[in-house]
C-alpha cells in the first residue's frame, strides 16, 4: 500500500493531473457571458411562446429553442458545479456556483409554462410531435406519464423557484463532510499517520496492516460521531421534504414517488433488495469467512471487510500505469470504442489527485457533446483503476448517446445508468484473467471482481437501499427519527446481510453518515439493478454469443429513447423476471468457489 501523506492544497496539484474545463468555456469570463446570454434566451423564449402552444405545429416551432436552452443549462450547471467540487473551501468557486444557481433556478421556474402547455395538448397532437422527430418522442413519453402528477402551473413555477432551498440539505451535508470535519493524525506502534475523510475511505480502509486499519477506522468514526446529531437532523429534513413532495403529487408512499422517474415500480425495488440479501448474503458470508481465515484475523470486524485476500500481490498503479490496464479492458468492445475512451488521457477528462477541500469519491459529468469530466482521488492502488474504468463507462455511454440523440433525449433512466460503468469493471477483471495462467494472479483478479465491483455495487449500495427502505417506512408511517434510530437501522441491515460472519459496533453503526446518495432519492439500489443487466450482457460477450458486442454498443447509444425495461432487452437482458438476478448470484457463487479452490491449490 502507498505510504500515506497529507493532502496538498489545490494550487499545488500539477495541471496534467487536473481536468480541462476549457472545453466548456475557455475562460471564466466566457462562462459569465454565456450565463448572461442564457438568461436573455430564456426571457425571449418565455416572451415568444407563453400562451402560444396550442397544437403540434406550435409545439414543434418552440422545441428547437427549448432544446438549445436545455443544452446551455447543462453546460453552465456542470461548469459551476465542477469548479466547486475541486475545492469546497474556495469562496470564489462557491460564489460562482451561487450565481449560476440563481440564474438556472429562475429559468427553470419561468420555463414550467412550456411543459404545462404540452400537458394540456390532446394525445393526438402529442403523437404528432413524437412522430415528427425521434428526439422528441422521449419527452412526449414523459409528458404523457406526468399528466397525472402535474400540479397547476403556478405551483410548479413556485416549486421550481424553491429548488435551491429544497436542495440545500445535500449542500449542507457536503459542506459538513468535506469542509467542516477535521480528522486528527493517529499513531500506531510509535508512528504518526495523517487522516482525512478521503484518506480513510480510499486508503486506510484497504490497509493490509490490521492495527493501522482498525485504528484509522476508530479515529475516523470518533469524528463522525461528533456530527451525528446534526447530520441526522439534516437528513430528517431531507426525507421530510421528499414525503411532502410525494403527498403533493398524489403518492401514498415516498418510495413510489422516488421510483416514479426511473419508470419502474416498487416490486423491482423490493426484489433487488430482498433477493440479494437472502441469496447473495450467504455467498458473501462464505467469502468473508474464507478471507478471515486466510488473513489469520481474530475476528472479521466491519473495518476489515475491504482488505485484499493476498495483499502482498497487490500491484501499485500510477496514473501512467493505468493506461495499459484501461486500454486492454476497453479493447474488448472494438477499436472504435477503445480509441474513443483512450482520449481521456490526452484530452484531460480526469481530475486525478486528491487535495484539501476536494469532493470525495468519484463521478463522471457528461455535458452534452463536450468531453466527459471525471473526478477521483488517486491512491496508486488497483482499486483506482476500477474507479477510473467505471467512470469511463459512464463517459462512453454519454458520448455515444449524445452522438445519436438531441439534448432532450440523451440521458437514460437512472435504473440502468450504472450498467455501462459496472460493465467496464467486468471488462477490466476479464482482461486481468485473460493475460495470465498464474493461479495467484487469477485468484487476485477474481477477488478484485468480488471486492471492487460486486462488493461496492451489489453490497455497499444495496445495503444503503435496504437502509433507505427502513427510513422511508418510518416516514410513511408518520414517525420521526434521530441519530440513534439511524444507528440501529444500520446495524439491523448489516446483520441481516452478514449474519454472524462479521462483528459490528458503535463505529460501524455510523456508516449511514458517509453516503451522499441518500440525498439523491432512491439512487443507491440502481447500482445493483444496473450491474445485474451488465453482468448478463458481459456473460453473453464472454461466452461469444452472436451479436453480443453489437447489442451492447447499441444499448450504449439508446439514451432515453426507450424505457429501462425495453433498453435492457436491447442488451439481451429481460429484467421483467428475476432470472437475471438469480443468474448473476449463481455466477458469483461460482466465483467464490473458484477463489476458495485456488487458495487450496496455492496453499499446497
Amino acid at each position: 500500500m502507498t505510504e500515506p501523506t497529507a493532502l496538498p492544497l489545490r494550487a499545488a496539484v500539477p495541471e496534467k493531473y487536473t481536468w480541462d474545463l476549457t472545453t466548456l468555456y475557455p475562460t471564466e469570463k466566457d462562462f459569465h457571458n454565456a450565463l448572461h446570454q442564457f438568461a436573455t434566451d430564456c426571457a425571449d423564449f418565455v416572451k415568444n411562446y407563453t400562451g402560444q402552444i396550442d397544437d403540434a405545429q406550435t409545439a414543434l416551432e418552440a422545441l428547437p429553442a427549448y432544446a438549445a436552452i436545455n443544452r446551455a443549462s447543462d453546460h453552465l450547471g456542470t461548469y459551476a458545479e465542477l469548479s466547486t467540487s475541486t475545492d469546497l473551501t474556495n469562496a470564489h468557486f462557491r460564489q460562482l456556483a451561487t450565481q449560476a444557481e440563481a440564474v438556472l433556478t429562475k429559468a427553470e421556474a419561468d420555463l414550467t409554462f412550456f411543459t404545462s402547455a404540452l400537458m394540456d395538448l390532446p394525445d393526438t397532437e402529442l403523437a404528432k410531435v413524437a412522430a415528427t422527430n425521434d428526439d422528441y418522442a422521449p419527452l412526449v413519453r414523459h409528458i404523457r406519464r406526468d399528466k397525472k402528477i402535474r400540479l397547476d402551473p403556478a405551483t410548479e413555477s413556485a416549486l421550481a423557484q424553491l429548488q435551491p432551498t429544497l436542495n440545500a440539505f445535500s449542500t449542507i451535508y457536503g459542506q459538513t463532510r468535506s469542509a467542516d470535519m477535521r480528522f486528527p493524525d493517529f499513531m500506531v506502534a510509535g508512528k504518526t499517520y495523517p487522516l482525512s475523510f478521503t484518506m480513510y475511505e480510499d486508503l486506510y480502509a484497504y490497509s493490509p496492516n490490521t492495527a493501522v486499519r482498525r485504528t484509522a477506522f476508530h479515529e475516523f468514526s470518533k469524528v463522525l460521531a461528533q456530527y451525528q446529531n446534526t447530520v441526522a437532523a439534516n437528513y430528517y429534513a431531507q426525507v421530510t421534504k421528499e414525503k411532502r413532495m410525494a403527498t403533493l403529487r398524489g403518492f401514498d408512499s415516498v418510495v413510489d414517488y422516488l421510483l416514479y422517474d426511473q419508470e419502474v415500480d416498487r416490486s423491482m425495488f423490493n426484489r433487488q433488495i430482498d433477493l440479494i440479501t437472502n441469496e447473495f448474503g450467504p455467498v458473501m458470508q462464505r467469502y468473508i469467512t474464507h478471507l478471515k481465515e486466510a488473513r489469520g484475523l481474530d475476528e472479521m470486524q466491519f473495518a476489515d471487510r475491504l482488505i485484499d485476500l493476498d495483499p502482498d500481490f497487490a500491484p501499485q498503479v500510477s496514473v501512467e500505469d493505468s493506461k495499459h490496464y484501461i486500454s486492454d479492458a476497453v479493447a474488448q468492445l472494438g477499436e472504435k470504442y477503445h480509441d474513443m475512451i483512450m482520449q481521456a488521457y490526452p484530452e484531460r477528462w480526469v481530475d486525478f489527485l486528491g487535495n484539501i477541500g476536494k469532493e470525495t469519491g468519484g463521478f463522471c459529468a457528461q455535458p452534452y457533446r463536450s468531453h466527459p469530466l471525471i473526478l477521483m482521488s488517486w491512491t496508486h492502488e488497483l482499486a483506482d483503476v476500477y474507479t477510473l474504468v467505471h467512470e469511463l463507462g459512464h463517459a462512453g455511454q454519454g458520448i455515444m448517446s449524445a452522438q445519436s440523440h438531441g439534448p432532450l433525449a440523451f440521458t437514460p433512466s437512472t435504473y440502468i445508468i450504472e450498467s455501462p460503468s459496472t460493465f467496464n469493471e467486468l471488462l477490466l477483471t476479464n482482461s486481468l484473467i485473460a493475460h495470465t495462467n498464474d493461479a495467484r494472479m487469477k485468484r487476485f483478479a477474481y477477488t478484485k471482481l468480488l471486492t471492487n465491483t460486486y462488493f461496492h455495487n451489489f453490497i455497499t449500495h444495496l445495503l444503503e437501499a435496504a437502509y433507505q427502505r427502513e427510513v422511508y417506512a418510518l416516514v410513511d408511517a408518520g414517525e420521526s427519527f434521530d441519530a440513534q434510530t439511524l444507528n440501529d437501522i444500520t446495524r439491523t441491515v448489516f446483520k441481516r446481510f452478514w449474519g454472524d460472519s462479521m462483528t459490528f459496533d458503535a463505529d460501524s453503526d455510523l456508516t449511514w453518515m458517509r453516503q451522499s446518495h441518500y440525498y439523491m432519492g432512491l439512487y443507491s439500489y440502481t447500482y445493483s439493478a444496473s450491474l445485474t443487466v451488465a453482468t448478463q450482457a458481459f456473460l453473453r460477450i464472454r461466452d461469444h454469443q452472436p451479436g453480443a458486442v453489437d447489442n451492447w454498443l447499441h444499448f450504449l447509444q439508446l439514451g432515453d429513447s426507450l424505457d429501462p425495461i425495453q433498453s435492457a432487452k436491447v442488451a439481451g437482458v429481460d429484467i421483467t423476471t428475476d432470472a437475471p438476478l438469480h443468474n448473476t448470484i449463481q455466477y458469483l457463487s461460482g466465483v467464490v468457489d473458484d477463489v476458495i479452490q485456488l487458495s487450496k491449490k496455492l496453499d499446497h
Side-chain angles (χ1 to χ4, degrees):
M1 190 181 91
T2 303
E3 187 71 14
T5 56
L7 292 174
L9 294 171
R10 177 65 182 178
V13 178
E15 182 182 80
K16 67 179 181 178
Y17 295 127
T18 66
W19 52 28
D20 180 13
L21 296 183
T22 63
T23 53
L24 287 171
Y25 303 101
T27 67
E28 196 172 301
K29 181 179 179 180
D30 292 311
F31 164 77
H32 285 293
N33 289 340
L35 191 63
H36 176 76
Q37 184 61 51
F38 173 80
T40 300
D41 292 343
C42 288
D44 289 344
F45 185 87
V46 172
K47 178 181 177 181
N48 293 335
Y49 295 108
T50 297
Q52 303 301 311
I53 310 301
D54 52 19
D55 59 14
Q57 181 178 346
T58 52
L60 287 166
E61 289 172 0
L63 276 165
Y66 183 70
I69 286 172
N70 274 267
R71 177 177 182 172
S73 175
D74 176 35
H75 283 211
L76 290 164
T78 298
Y79 184 88
E81 179 184 351
L82 296 192
S83 297
T84 306
S85 69
T86 59
D87 188 355
L88 293 169
T89 67
N90 187 306
H92 176 72
F93 288 158
R94 291 202 305 272
Q95 178 63 25
L96 185 117
T98 299
Q99 292 172 347
E101 182 181 62
V103 173
L104 296 175
T105 299
K106 183 179 186 305
E108 183 178 358
D110 291 346
L111 295 174
T112 56
F113 86 90
F114 184 63
T115 48
S116 293
L118 292 178
M119 287 183 187
D120 288 338
L121 295 180
D123 277 350
T124 53
E125 294 301 301
L126 288 173
K128 292 177 185 177
V129 174
T132 301
N133 188 322
D134 288 344
D135 282 340
Y136 299 155
L139 174 64
V140 169
R141 185 177 86 240
H142 295 301
I143 288 291
R144 284 172 164 163
R145 289 186 76 234
D146 291 350
K147 282 187 177 186
K148 62 180 177 293
I149 67 166
R150 190 76 174 177
L151 305 174
D152 67 79
T155 303
E156 292 290 351
S157 178
L159 287 174
Q161 291 181 58
L162 284 170
Q163 280 309 301
T165 301
L166 296 174
N167 293 336
F169 312 116
S170 175
T171 303
I172 293 168
Y173 169 74
Q175 286 289 330
T176 302
R177 191 176 79 167
S178 298
D180 288 346
M181 289 185 184
R182 289 291 180 265
F183 298 85
D185 296 347
F186 65 95
M187 185 174 289
V188 173
K191 182 174 181 180
T192 300
Y193 296 82
L195 182 63
S196 70
F197 198 105
T198 300
M199 292 177 75
Y200 175 73
E201 295 231 319
D202 294 343
L203 200 62
Y204 294 119
Y206 304 92
S207 173
N209 186 314
T210 300
V212 169
R213 182 175 65 251
R214 291 178 177 178
T215 303
F217 182 56
H218 182 62
E219 295 302 318
F220 173 75
S221 299
K222 281 170 62 176
V223 176
L224 293 185
Q226 295 170 14
Y227 291 84
Q228 62 180 313
N229 294 314
T230 298
V231 175
N234 185 62
Y235 181 47
Y236 180 70
Q238 165 73 17
V239 299
T240 300
K241 173 201 74 175
E242 291 168 332
K243 179 60 178 176
R244 298 290 182 269
M245 293 298 297
T247 302
L248 274 175
R249 297 199 180 278
F251 292 90
D252 295 330
S253 166
V254 67
V255 170
D256 294 330
Y257 162 69
L258 293 173
L259 289 173
Y260 177 82
D261 284 342
Q262 296 180 16
E263 296 186 272
V264 297
D265 60 29
R266 189 197 290 237
S267 66
M268 295 174 73
F269 172 69
N270 286 333
R271 181 177 72 194
Q272 205 71 22
I273 295 172
D274 294 334
L275 272 181
I276 290 178
T277 298
N278 296 333
E279 297 187 14
F280 189 50
V283 172
M284 288 307 294
Q285 290 171 33
R286 190 153 44 93
Y287 172 76
I288 213 79
T289 299
H290 175 66
L291 177 61
K292 178 176 79 75
E293 293 170 352
R295 293 296 303 275
L297 297 176
D298 54 336
E299 61 179 349
M300 176 57 67
Q301 296 184 11
F302 185 78
D304 303 323
R305 74 199 188 286
L306 300 178
I307 60 175
D308 283 333
L309 183 66
D310 190 359
D312 295 334
F313 196 70
Q316 295 289 290
V317 183
S318 68
V319 171
E320 285 298 315
D321 292 337
S322 71
K323 293 179 183 179
H324 79 264
Y325 285 101
I326 299 295
S327 177
D328 288 346
V330 300
Q332 297 169 77
L333 292 183
E335 183 178 359
K336 185 176 181 181
Y337 182 87
H338 168 273
D339 292 349
M340 173 183 70
I341 293 298
M342 295 308 293
Q343 287 302 305
Y345 291 94
E347 293 183 0
R348 286 175 50 214
W349 296 3
V350 187
D351 206 89
F352 281 104
L353 304 185
N355 57 258
I356 293 172
K358 186 176 182 180
E359 180 62 88
T360 61
F363 63 75
C364 175
Q366 179 55 72
Y368 182 76
R369 291 191 179 173
S370 180
H371 77 54
L373 294 153
I374 295 169
L375 179 140
M376 57 185 306
S377 297
W378 201 266
T379 60
H380 302 278
E381 304 292 330
L382 188 63
D384 296 324
V385 185
Y386 274 89
T387 300
L388 179 56
V389 83
H390 175 107
E391 301 303 343
L392 289 170
H394 287 304
Q397 182 186 42
I399 292 171
M400 295 174 70
S401 176
Q403 289 171 344
S404 303
H405 301 286
L408 299 178
F410 92 110
T411 305
S413 164
T414 54
Y415 187 82
I416 54 171
I417 198 72
E418 294 292 342
S419 295
S421 53
T422 53
F423 179 91
N424 272 20
E425 293 188 47
L426 298 176
L427 292 182
L428 176 58
T429 296
N430 198 48
S431 70
L432 292 173
I433 293 171
H435 286 84
T436 186
N437 290 317
D438 180 71
R440 195 177 183 190
M441 182 61 196
K442 283 188 176 182
R443 184 180 67 169
F444 177 82
Y446 281 134
T447 57
K448 283 300 168 189
L449 178 75
L450 291 171
T451 60
N452 280 80
T453 302
Y454 288 94
F455 204 116
H456 189 64
N457 301 297
F458 242 53
I459 302 175
T460 300
H461 291 317
L462 192 281
L463 295 184
E464 290 163 4
Y467 159 90
Q468 285 183 291
R469 185 169 66 174
E470 298 300 322
V471 170
Y472 289 130
L474 286 176
V475 174
D476 279 338
E479 299 179 27
S480 63
F481 57 78
D482 58 14
Q484 187 56 54
T485 309
L486 300 179
N487 293 342
D488 293 342
I489 290 173
T490 299
R491 178 142 350 166
T492 298
V493 167
F494 285 164
K495 286 286 291 181
R496 192 177 296 151
F497 184 88
W498 291 109
D500 295 327
S501 66
M502 190 181 297
T503 61
F504 306 98
D505 57 20
D507 291 344
S508 57
D509 293 346
L510 295 170
T511 305
W512 62 270
M513 295 182 64
R514 295 164 54 184
Q515 185 49 266
S516 59
H517 286 158
Y518 296 149
Y519 297 86
M520 300 167 63
L522 293 178
Y523 186 64
S524 291
Y525 93 105
T526 65
Y527 282 91
S528 65
S530 294
L531 183 51
T532 303
V533 174
T535 302
Q536 298 308 300
F538 164 75
L539 292 175
R540 295 184 70 234
I541 293 174
R542 186 203 64 177
D543 296 341
H544 305 291
Q545 293 189 21
V549 171
D550 289 339
N551 291 159
W552 185 250
L553 294 174
H554 185 195
F555 171 81
L556 297 181
Q557 298 169 354
L558 289 174
D560 193 28
S561 60
L562 299 174
D563 65 38
I565 291 174
Q566 296 304 316
S567 294
K569 287 182 178 178
V570 169
V573 185
D574 183 1
I575 58 175
T576 63
T577 74
D578 58 9
L581 190 48
H582 282 298
N583 292 341
T584 298
I585 293 170
Q586 183 179 13
Y587 163 65
L588 292 170
S589 182
V591 170
V592 171
D593 289 341
D594 288 341
V595 168
I596 293 173
Q597 289 303 313
L598 285 166
S599 291
K600 290 179 179 178
K601 179 179 179 180
L602 289 166
D603 287 342
H604 285 88

